Amino acid sequence: MLSPERPTQVLAADAAGIARAAYVLGEGGLVAFPTETVYGLGADARNGRAVAGIFAAKNRPTFNPLIVHVPNLDAARSIGVFGPEALSLANAFWPGAMTLVVPLARGAGISDLVTAGLDTVAIRVPAHPLATKLLEAAGCPVAAPSANPSGKVSPTTADHVLDGLGRRIDAVLDGGACLVGLESTILDPGPPARLLRPGGLPIEAIEACLGAPVQAVDVEAAGITAPGQLKSHYAPTADLRLGAAEAREGEVMLGFGPVQCDLNLSEAGDLTEAAAGLYGALRSLDASGAAAIAVSPIPETGLGRAINDRLRRAAAPRPS
Ligand code: TXA
Ligand code: MG
């Protein structure tokens, strides 16, 4: 499925840029915009044609469910049903890097393409001032996966968006680099709460809020197939070798902590800094043309879980 070529407007992070982006969304167009996690490729979630355009532009092979972005909890409650657990999580962590999967509200008006026909909907209130202003100005729920071709590394700058989707989308709102750098944590609030995707909000914070452990879901057993849960995803062109102590012949080294390497995610061993730079680092090492990227071990705590999740998928055998 190919979308027709079109010029992609780069919009400035000012009132005129936001107004233009909101207008294009209202007309059924595709607008990439910054969130604190990664850039999203937005369309009016009520407009099936516009949402279909997201799948075409990304070359997504199948119609997987998308996250709906809204400016605040009130707007979220008009499309999803929030029980007590969902409400405490929303109050604690929104706006922020957490997506809640809740029952779809009656009369929500969300396109079936967004929910993939499920009776649940994934909702997020992003914490980026430009995203908030855009969502307020658009006045509609905005479906937005990461703004990259399917299977590739997610974008954390407007240039990354243009590299992957230039001439396939109507506009990108340029808000500079994303602060978190990893997609949101996706949660079914339960009870019991279930983790559907590790991400920018550490699971430890969620467990502290709920006062209960969060179960990891075996997504394949649960029968939900979605890109962020495919074994091979977020993949650079080069092969990845994880848990490496040092680079071998022909490899470039992505380091973490005090190690010899070509690029260091965080010399100080700071996981927040590492998350913010991860996708940009994979892109630039990939651009070096090396056949393989060796990656230092990353601790499996806090944001390290989400970093390791993305690295494992990037390292997985690719479908041919
Ligand atoms: O940080 C983020 O979450 C970014 C920014 C743009 O907000 N968005 C993002 O969207 O990563 P996307 O489309 O790549 O991730 C959508 C994921 C799917 O892979 C699936 O796991 C989950 O959301 N999802 C959506 N609707 C669902 C549902 N009804 N039930 C279970 N999972 C769902
Ligand atoms: Mg994605």
Side-chain angles (χ1 to χ4, degrees):
M1 195 163 40
L2 274 174
S3 69
E5 289 240 327
R6 65 190 90 173
T8 301
Q9 267 190 295
V10 179
L11 303 173
D14 56 20
I18 292 164
R20 176 73 196 164
Y23 173 80
V24 174
L25 284 174
E27 293 291 297
L30 300 180
V31 178
F33 63 98
T35 78
E36 79 279 31
T37 60
V38 299
Y39 274 70
L41 178 57
D44 180 347
R46 305 165 306 184
N47 180 336
R49 269 184 73 101
V51 175
I54 292 179
F55 292 95
K58 283 180 62 87
N59 243 330
R60 259 201 196 190
T62 45
F63 291 137
N64 306 110
L66 302 176
I67 297 171
V68 179
H69 297 69
V70 289
N72 52 51
L73 179 56
D74 278 348
R77 293 184 82 169
S78 70
I79 55 177
V81 180
F82 283 69
E85 292 76 17
L87 272 183
S88 345
L89 289 165
N91 282 319
F93 299 116
W94 276 351
M98 175 188 71
T99 294
L100 293 176
V101 174
V102 297
L104 187 62
R106 223 177 269 219
I110 300 292
S111 160
D112 279 348
L113 273 182
V114 172
T115 53
L118 299 167
D119 53 10
T120 52
V121 59
I123 309 178
R124 182 160 102 81
V125 177
H128 190 298
L130 267 184
T132 308
K133 285 181 190 151
L134 174 61
L135 293 169
E136 282 168 350
C140 64
V142 173
S146 51
N148 52 281
S150 191
K152 299 294 187 192
V153 178
S154 298
T156 53
T157 67
D159 277 346
H160 294 167
V161 173
L162 291 169
D163 280 350
L165 296 179
R167 304 198 67 80
R168 302 177 69 90
I169 64 177
D170 296 294
V172 54
L173 188 57
D174 187 352
C178 302
L179 284 180
V180 176
L182 289 174
E183 293 83 350
S184 61
T185 301
I186 306 182
L187 209 64
D188 166 356
R194 301 182 316 147
L195 177 69
L196 302 177
R197 177 178 74 184
L201 178 68
I203 200 73
E204 289 88 341
I206 294 167
E207 292 183 330
C209 169
L210 291 172
V214 172
Q215 302 176 352
V217 174
D218 180 341
V219 174
E220 277 168 25
I224 307 163
T225 32
Q229 296 157 339
L230 293 179
K231 281 216 171 77
S232 171
H233 197 58
Y234 312 106
T237 307
D239 288 333
L240 254 74
R241 186 168 65 84
L242 306 184
E246 57 191 20
R248 295 178 187 155
E249 178 92 36
E251 288 180 340
V252 286
M253 176 91 189
L254 179 59
F256 178 79
V259 292
Q260 274 248 336
C261 57
D262 298 282
L263 213 162
N264 203 318
L265 287 172
S266 170
E267 276 173 37
D270 180 312
L271 289 167
T272 304
E273 184 187 4
L278 177 67
Y279 290 144
L282 287 175
R283 279 169 192 272
S284 63
L285 290 179
D286 212 18
S288 75
I293 303 171
V295 188
S296 290
I298 312 279
E300 186 74 15
T301 67
L303 286 178
R305 289 178 210 267
I307 296 173
N308 283 323
D309 171 77
R310 303 305 189 269
L311 285 171
R312 279 191 291 269
R313 290 177 209 276
R318 323 267 161 84
S320 46

